[in-house]
Amino acid sequence: MSTARVEHTNAATGLSPHPERATMEGRNKIIGFWLFLGAETVMFACFFGVYLALRNSSLDGPTTQELYHIPMVAVSTLILLFSSLTSVLGVVGMQQHNYKKTMFWFGVTVLLGASFLALEIYEFFVYVGEGHTFTSSAFGSAFYTLLGTHGAHVLFGVCWITGLLFQARKRGLTQEMAPKFFVASLYWHFIDVVWVFIFTVVYLMGKVG
């Protein structure tokens, strides 16, 4: 009965509760993006495999136990995980056809993503100062390749969502814009999940040896 009431309301207002799937084009974009994320998963799995194989090949440089600063990385992790929540709230605002809520929460997501990148860059500077560089050892090459690729994905996500916010200011929350915000949110969740694995496999396992 409640479902019928919702359908009646949507028919009366002309608004879809899921604007990202309101058109065939939108649905195709979402399906295609899931396939893209599958390919990205394979790529990151390869990087993780290389890192695990080379993490002990540090030559005379610092080992994982000596290098990693868990409190700083934990702060970065909390920031990125919270940004996943704000992107969800942005999608909820979009599905409620609430322009201000959508813009606000996706804007917060961008700021949190930029904060994460700033902390990661600072972390890299600290590691370089301790002799851990891309060319210092096989471990360094594997470490920076994995984390650098993830950081590049975060940077791309920040730029992508920022671009969508500028488009939405001009066009509004149309059925054309809704799938773009939705797949951007999927992408953001994906890079958050990858970071959870990085935090566990690289930092926590590395710290305990």
Side-chain angles (χ1 to χ4, degrees):
M1 184 174 181
S2 59
T3 302
R5 188 181 298 114
V6 170
E7 291 175 350
H8 174 75
T9 302
N10 292 338
T13 60
L15 300 176
S16 169
H18 298 286
E20 70 277 3
R21 296 187 177 89
T23 64
M24 179 64 73
E25 180 182 359
R27 293 191 291 272
N28 288 340
K29 284 181 179 178
I30 294 171
I31 293 174
F33 200 75
W34 275 113
L35 295 175
F36 166 76
L37 291 182
E40 288 280 287
T41 301
V42 174
M43 180 188 70
F44 274 106
C46 293
F47 287 148
F48 274 108
V50 171
Y51 171 82
L52 289 173
L54 300 177
R55 64 176 178 168
N56 294 320
S57 303
S58 58
L59 297 178
D60 295 328
T63 63
T64 58
Q65 292 94 331
E66 299 168 339
L67 186 69
Y68 296 147
H69 304 288
I70 296 299
M72 179 169 58
V73 181
V75 172
S76 299
T77 301
L78 289 175
I79 290 174
L80 200 59
L81 291 178
F82 187 68
S83 72
S84 191
L85 172 62
T86 59
S87 70
V88 169
L89 295 174
V91 170
V92 170
M94 180 191 70
Q95 293 174 342
Q96 295 173 344
H97 306 278
N98 188 324
Y99 172 82
K100 290 184 178 180
K101 184 176 181 179
T102 303
M103 297 291 282
F104 174 79
W105 285 116
F106 274 111
V108 173
T109 301
V110 167
L111 292 177
L112 291 173
S115 299
F116 171 85
L117 286 174
L119 284 174
E120 185 168 61
I121 292 171
Y122 172 75
E123 177 191 6
F124 287 173
F125 273 113
V126 171
Y127 292 164
V128 169
E130 296 180 7
H132 180 59
T133 67
F134 186 83
T135 58
S136 62
S137 63
F139 162 53
S141 298
F143 173 85
Y144 285 110
T145 298
L146 174 58
L147 270 75
T149 302
H150 177 267
H153 278 68
V154 175
L155 177 61
F156 176 77
V158 167
C159 295
W160 182 7
I161 297 175
T162 301
L164 292 179
L165 292 174
F166 278 108
Q167 285 187 19
R169 289 188 64 181
K170 296 180 178 180
R171 304 178 185 180
L173 291 178
T174 62
Q175 289 184 347
E176 180 186 4
M177 289 299 303
K180 296 180 180 180
F181 274 112
F182 187 79
V183 296
S185 181
L186 287 179
Y187 177 84
W188 199 257
H189 295 321
F190 171 76
I191 58 179
D192 281 3
V193 170
V194 172
W195 180 256
V196 170
F197 280 97
I198 289 176
F199 181 66
T200 304
V201 174
V202 174
Y203 290 102
L204 295 183
M205 289 176 59
K207 198 64 177 178
V208 301

